[in-house]
Amino acid sequence: MELEAVEDKTDIIELQEMIGKHLLYTQSPLAGKILTNWEEYLPKFVKIIPLEYKKVLNEMKLKEVKRKLEMAEDAPDRRE
């Protein structure tokens, strides 16, 4: 397992949504406090990711970058 700061915009939104749902369903005072003071609490959260899963994600990103490069190379030259 690897620990990472929650910095990715998608991860931050997902975390806020999960805490918001928790607040909605439980009326948790702590969840309300966290959402009210989001900038203070965000750095206290960590993302736990299995190493193999991270490896697969990185391989998928690399394949996507390679695919985009190949598409760019195959595109007609637009310079005039």
Side-chain angles (χ1 to χ4, degrees):
M1 298 283 187
E2 185 172 304
L3 304 177
E4 298 178 351
V6 180
E7 296 173 334
D8 182 74
K9 185 177 181 177
T10 305
D11 291 337
I12 292 170
I13 292 168
E14 183 178 6
L15 179 59
Q16 281 181 313
E17 288 174 352
M18 287 191 301
I19 296 170
K21 286 179 183 178
H22 178 72
L23 175 62
L24 178 67
Y25 296 130
T26 67
Q27 311 305 304
S28 166
L30 180 56
K33 183 177 179 181
I34 289 170
L35 291 172
T36 300
N37 301 291
W38 184 250
E39 296 302 319
E40 175 187 343
Y41 280 92
L42 179 59
K44 297 179 182 189
F45 285 92
V46 293
K47 179 178 178 179
I48 301 171
I49 185 166
L51 293 177
E52 287 300 314
Y53 182 67
K54 185 172 183 177
K55 181 180 175 183
V56 169
L57 289 178
N58 287 336
E59 288 172 0
M60 290 171 56
K61 287 178 187 176
L62 181 60
K63 285 180 184 178
E64 181 63 17
V65 168
K66 286 181 180 179
R67 186 186 69 77
K68 287 181 180 179
L69 283 172
E70 288 171 359
M71 287 176 55
E73 289 173 355
D74 292 341
D77 190 9
R78 299 188 190 259
R79 285 180 273 156
E80 295 184 28

